[in-house]
Amino acid sequence: MDPRKVNELRAFVKMCKQDPSVLHTEEMRFLREWVERMGGNIPPATQKAKSEENTKEEKPDSKKVEEDLKAAEPSSEESDLETDNEGVTEPDTDTPQEMGDENAEITEEMMDQQSCCVLYNMHPWAGCP
């Protein structure tokens, strides 16, 4: 079912709980009859509802329904689905580490030492001079 339609229905039911006279309008006759056929009870109409039904003033109720629907709609288009983050690497929150001098010139001796260290890490028995 369309989630927006469910939210509209939820808002309408909430409005009916707050003001059951809404159900006594001619427009809602089909709903009253269905609820009663299903064994439900509709509270009796108030004087206000009876006079509205007679004069067929349904515009205030329509505006109220629209306001309730707007209030019931989600404020964002985000989904209610849970996201499975299994296997997802969390972002690094450590403070940045100091790096070397980017303007330094690399010498042959520095490259030889680095190569030796890499070789030592791959083969510790090789030794590093």
Side-chain angles (χ1 to χ4, degrees):
M1 231 179 148
D2 184 6
R4 283 185 261 162
K5 296 289 183 186
V6 174
N7 283 335
E8 289 175 10
L9 181 59
R10 187 173 284 126
F12 176 74
V13 169
K14 181 179 178 183
M15 183 184 68
C16 290
K17 285 179 180 178
Q18 292 172 349
D19 183 15
S21 65
V22 172
L23 297 170
H24 291 281
T25 62
E26 185 60 32
E27 186 180 7
M28 293 293 138
R29 170 180 256 148
F30 76 97
L31 183 59
R32 272 193 323 268
E33 291 172 353
W34 179 77
V35 168
E36 289 169 351
R37 274 195 309 264
M38 298 297 290
N41 295 323
I42 305 280
T46 61
Q47 283 294 76
K48 179 183 172 186
K50 287 180 184 176
S51 66
E52 284 181 4
E53 190 173 309
N54 292 338
T55 59
K56 294 185 180 181
E57 281 186 21
E58 298 174 12
K59 290 181 184 177
D61 291 335
S62 299
K63 288 180 183 177
K64 191 173 184 181
V65 170
E66 288 176 19
E67 289 172 6
D68 285 346
L69 291 178
K70 287 179 183 176
E73 288 181 8
S75 60
S76 67
E77 295 296 319
E78 293 182 19
S79 174
D80 291 338
L81 298 176
E82 292 290 325
T83 308
D84 181 16
N85 287 333
E86 185 176 329
V88 176
T89 304
E90 294 295 322
D92 185 14
T93 57
D94 295 342
T95 56
Q97 297 179 1
E98 279 189 41
M99 297 299 193
D101 183 9
E102 63 184 40
N103 296 324
E105 293 202 25
I106 300 177
T107 63
E108 286 287 325
E109 185 179 315
M110 294 166 97
M111 288 196 305
D112 288 342
Q113 185 181 8
Q114 182 62 31
S115 295
C116 183
C117 289
V118 169
L119 181 63
Y120 178 74
N121 285 329
M122 290 181 358
H123 306 285
W125 63 87
C128 198

